[in-house]
Each structure stands twice: as structure tokens, then as C-alpha cells.
Amino acid sequence: MPDTTTTTGVLPAFDCEFEINTAGRSTTPTWETIKDIEELQITVDGSIQEWNPYDQKGWARRALTGKKIGIAVKGKRNYGNTGNDYVAEKTTSFVSFISYLS
């Protein structure tokens, strides 16, 4: 687990850990750290619908109609690390499925 001491200023990048639930969709999650991550990028994006009704006298209306989250991870393969092995297994099965469809 990361150090829980209070820090001020910028969050130190070396103190971040990325964990994954290796139990899949079971009722009891099993969280494992993914070793040897070099880059981690998390994006959150909302889909906005905009329209201009006549009764609003030129003012636009907007509504949030959807949300999406993306996680991109770059790292080295670490055989024997439970988190890394789980990601490799899922990635390999997905690539095999895409190859099967082609």
C-alpha cells in the first residue's frame, strides 16, 4: 500500500500504485498491484448535447448525455506478478478473439 503520511505541494509520482481486481466479477474482490508500470493515463470525458430553442432568445441549452472513462497503461511484462499476469491473460485472450473474428 502507498505511504499514508500527509504531504504538501505536488503529489509524488513514486508514491502511486495501480491495482486491479484479479477476481474478475466475483463477489469478493482480490486487489493486486501491477508491477513495472512506466506510464499511466486516466481520461474522463463527457458527451454534451447542445441545442438552441427559439423560446430561449438566443441562449443555448446543454445536457450531459453520456460519460466515458479510459485507462491507458504502459509498462514491462513481469512474469510472476499476479496483477501483471492477469492483465497479460486478458489482453492475450482479447487479441486471440479479434484474430478469430478476422
Side-chain angles (χ1 to χ4, degrees):
M1 296 302 281
D3 185 12
T4 57
T5 57
T6 304
T7 57
T8 58
V10 178
L11 175 69
F14 68 85
D15 203 19
C16 296
E17 290 185 13
F18 191 72
E19 295 180 335
I20 191 166
N21 178 11
T22 57
R25 296 181 183 214
S26 72
T27 56
T28 307
T30 305
W31 296 98
E32 298 288 342
T33 301
I34 302 173
K35 299 288 184 184
D36 291 328
I37 290 179
E38 296 175 333
E39 294 179 23
L40 174 65
Q41 181 180 11
I42 300 173
T43 56
V44 179
D45 189 22
S47 300
I48 305 284
Q49 184 73 29
E50 183 177 313
W51 66 99
N52 298 296
Y54 288 118
D55 65 330
Q56 295 301 306
K57 298 178 175 55
W59 291 96
R61 290 204 170 177
R62 293 187 178 133
L64 181 64
T65 57
K67 295 179 184 178
K68 57 186 169 183
I69 185 169
I71 300 172
V73 179
K74 178 183 173 188
K76 303 288 188 235
R77 181 70 171 95
N78 185 324
Y79 293 95
N81 171 254
T82 309
N84 200 294
D85 291 342
Y86 182 79
V87 171
E89 175 190 329
K90 296 301 177 187
T91 305
T92 304
S93 62
F94 180 71
V95 171
S96 298
F97 177 71
I98 296 298
S99 299
Y100 173 76
L101 293 178
S102 300

